[in-house]
Amino acid sequence: MIEIAVLGFGTVGSGVVELIDNNQEWIRRSVPEGIHVKYILDIRDFPNSPYADRVVHSIDVITEDPEVRIVCETMGGKEPAFTFSRKALENGKSVCTSNKELVEALGTELMLTAKQNGMSYLFEASVGGGIPILRPLRNSLVQEEITVIGGILNGTTNYILTKMEQEGAAFDDVLKIAQEKGYAERNPEADVEGYDCGRKIAILASLATGKKADYDEIPCEGITKIAASDFAYAKAIGRAVKLLGIARKLGDGSWSVRTAPFLVPDDHPLYPVSGVFNAVFVHGTMVDDLMFYGRGAGKNPTASAVVSDVVELAMHIGVPLRSAWNEEKLTLADSDLESHRFYIRAAAEQAEALEAAFGSGLEQIDLGGQEEDALTGTTAFVTGEISERTFAERLGSIEVQNVIRLL
Ligand code: HSE
């Protein structure tokens, strides 16, 4: 048996422990000796759990036990997850995690610590929940120059947007359901303000380029300004509202990386991706377009991705795996120079000012008679393609209700 420890017995951690128990038969096809959870670290006790006797409260019990070869960190947050992960690596245990906040902020350091100690640090579950995306990038696509990567990277917000659009549900009600279903972060601000999506696109861009994309430099917008009227206007122009994280290589070799809601056209592969599902779009210069699709959040899909790392680590005991990226910083493009078409929703009395500011390139959205009563007093336009800077300059002080970029 290969002994492992799980740090954090929350939604994902408990899923990992159960999956390893329930799917032992399938795991043994790759790891014939089997994998066994020896310890579960948590500050709480779980007297009614069948795993109660494995719960410990000190990381030292785990790091000082030579039988433990792999540590799964499913605690979330930077601390104490960072300190515990580093300690495990320094004590000869490989580590895998679902913790995107930690991977984005301190993953480079942990990969270095792993390398210095002949260990590995993996994080398949940190992006896209159950979707296998990091392993294909590390293995199947190493020969590719990737020039575009990103997509729908947050299950909670995609679930909220879908329910608002399809059922007219209220934002707060759907967020509550997403929390009950175990999709949302402990602090759901990370989901709805786009921070979680921003961390995931930073991880994907780093993995695609081999250099570290700095999350703090990535423009980030969430979904809190999206209203029912935006779905009606989007529908009238054959589009859906999706929160995307996108990274694109530009002609000068720099990368444009952004997290924001976009209006996605109905002929785009991301358009039908709804509910908790995520989809990661990849363009490689040889393989052309790829899309990876699956459940982006939730106990079992995320646990499945974590255990895929456990199995890979168990198959490579004593064989350190290559780091996902190095310490070099990825150069990001000036986001003000990026060009898009923009959707603008405003009070009807702003129409003249908007037309004067944006000129003949501005198209008013015609609702075709539908929903007009509910939207009386409101108008919406789409601009021609202009840079972020020009858009901001032309908008000036005109008061608008919402702005969304078109994909
Ligand atoms: N809160 C995250 C989401 C969990 O909704 O996508 C998975 O990373």
Side-chain angles (χ1 to χ4, degrees):
M1 280 282 196
I2 294 191
E3 299 290 352
I4 76 160
V6 174
L7 314 186
F9 200 49
T11 305
V12 180
S14 60
V16 167
V17 177
E18 287 161 23
L19 196 159
I20 287 175
D21 251 7
N22 298 337
N23 286 18
Q24 195 62 219
E25 183 187 345
W26 312 111
I27 289 170
R28 279 176 189 263
R29 290 182 302 182
S30 300
V31 185
E33 60 269 58
I35 292 174
H36 175 253
V37 178
K38 186 167 182 182
Y39 303 111
I40 297 164
L41 179 80
D42 206 290
I43 48 172
R44 301 161 291 181
D45 280 308
F46 298 88
N48 301 322
S49 162
Y51 305 106
D53 58 339
R54 306 190 205 177
V55 175
V56 296
H57 303 301
S58 164
I59 186 68
D60 297 337
V61 175
I62 294 165
T63 53
E64 285 167 18
D65 184 338
E67 275 188 7
V68 175
R69 311 303 300 269
I70 298 164
V71 168
C72 279
E73 183 270 301
T74 55
M75 308 175 76
K78 284 186 206 156
E79 284 294 358
F82 173 69
T83 303
F84 289 179
S85 300
R86 188 174 55 188
K87 201 163 186 190
L89 293 165
E90 287 169 347
N91 281 273
K93 291 131 190 18
S94 283
V95 174
C96 60
T97 185
S98 54
N99 186 343
K100 49 262 159 137
E101 188 180 351
L102 179 61
V103 171
E104 188 288 317
L106 293 158
T108 313
E109 273 186 69
L110 289 171
M111 283 186 269
L112 192 64
T113 308
K115 197 172 172 183
Q116 286 162 348
N117 290 277
M119 296 292 122
S120 308
Y121 184 65
L122 298 182
F123 39 90
E124 179 62 65
S126 65
V127 179
I131 304 175
I133 175 63
L134 303 197
R135 189 160 289 104
L137 287 170
R138 283 199 301 114
N139 296 339
S140 321
L141 296 171
V142 283
Q143 70 288 0
E144 282 290 331
E145 182 191 358
I146 290 167
T147 54
V148 182
I149 189 159
I152 297 170
L153 306 177
N154 182 273
T156 301
T157 47
N158 207 45
Y159 182 80
I160 292 173
L161 291 173
T162 303
K163 292 282 177 192
M164 285 174 76
E165 180 183 15
Q166 295 179 355
E167 297 167 20
F171 187 99
D172 289 339
D173 295 345
V174 197
L175 173 59
K176 203 160 160 258
I177 300 170
Q179 287 176 295
E180 283 161 11
K181 285 179 177 281
Y183 300 159
E185 297 302 301
R186 214 173 303 158
N187 176 3
E189 198 187 31
D191 296 298
V192 300
E193 297 292 356
Y195 311 148
D196 179 76
C197 181
R199 291 185 179 114
K200 289 168 176 168
I201 193 59
I203 293 171
L204 287 179
S206 305
L207 207 61
T209 60
K211 298 177 189 174
K212 180 69 182 72
D214 191 345
Y215 163 75
D216 295 325
E217 292 178 3
I218 299 173
C220 180
E221 281 171 45
I223 63 163
T224 50
K225 289 188 203 142
I226 307 291
S229 49
D230 295 319
F231 297 109
Y233 286 117
K235 194 172 163 199
I237 54 170
R239 288 174 181 258
V241 187
K242 304 283 182 196
L243 180 69
L244 305 183
I246 304 184
R248 283 182 299 134
K249 188 177 182 185
L250 305 181
D252 65 359
S254 66
W255 278 73
S256 145
V257 188
R258 179 179 294 277
T259 292
F262 279 83
L263 296 186
V264 177
D266 58 11
D267 57 356
H268 194 283
L270 292 174
Y271 179 88
V273 177
S274 58
V276 73
F277 283 84
N278 283 192
V280 184
F281 182 87
V282 180
H283 181 85
T285 50
M286 293 295 140
V287 71
D288 207 68
D289 292 342
L290 296 167
M291 200 162 91
F292 298 80
Y293 170 85
R295 285 184 188 273
K299 176 174 169 168
N300 289 340
T302 311
S304 176
V306 175
V307 177
S308 77
D309 280 346
V310 175
V311 171
E312 188 176 4
L313 294 173
M315 289 168 73
H316 291 90
I317 299 277
V319 184
L321 299 166
R322 179 173 69 82
S323 298
W325 59 75
N326 60 39
E327 286 146 273
E328 202 180 329
K329 194 172 156 171
L330 181 66
T331 309
L332 299 191
D334 181 348
S335 58
D336 278 355
L337 302 181
E338 260 177 55
S339 288
H340 297 280
R341 295 179 73 201
F342 295 84
Y343 153 91
I344 306 168
R345 170 167 57 84
E349 59 263 28
Q350 301 294 355
E352 255 178 53
L354 287 166
E355 279 161 353
F358 288 91
S360 58
L362 199 68
E363 290 168 25
Q364 189 159 24
I365 299 178
D366 179 5
L367 286 173
Q370 283 177 12
E371 315 218 22
E372 271 179 349
D373 286 349
L375 297 179
T376 305
T378 304
T379 188
F381 295 91
V382 173
T383 70
E385 185 150 330
I386 47 173
S387 73
E388 296 274 338
R389 183 172 296 162
T390 308
F391 177 78
E393 283 167 2
R394 293 201 187 161
L395 197 59
S397 57
I398 303 172
E399 211 170 288
V400 296
Q401 293 167 348
N402 201 7
V403 170
I404 310 177
R405 294 166 187 82
L406 270 65
L407 189 66

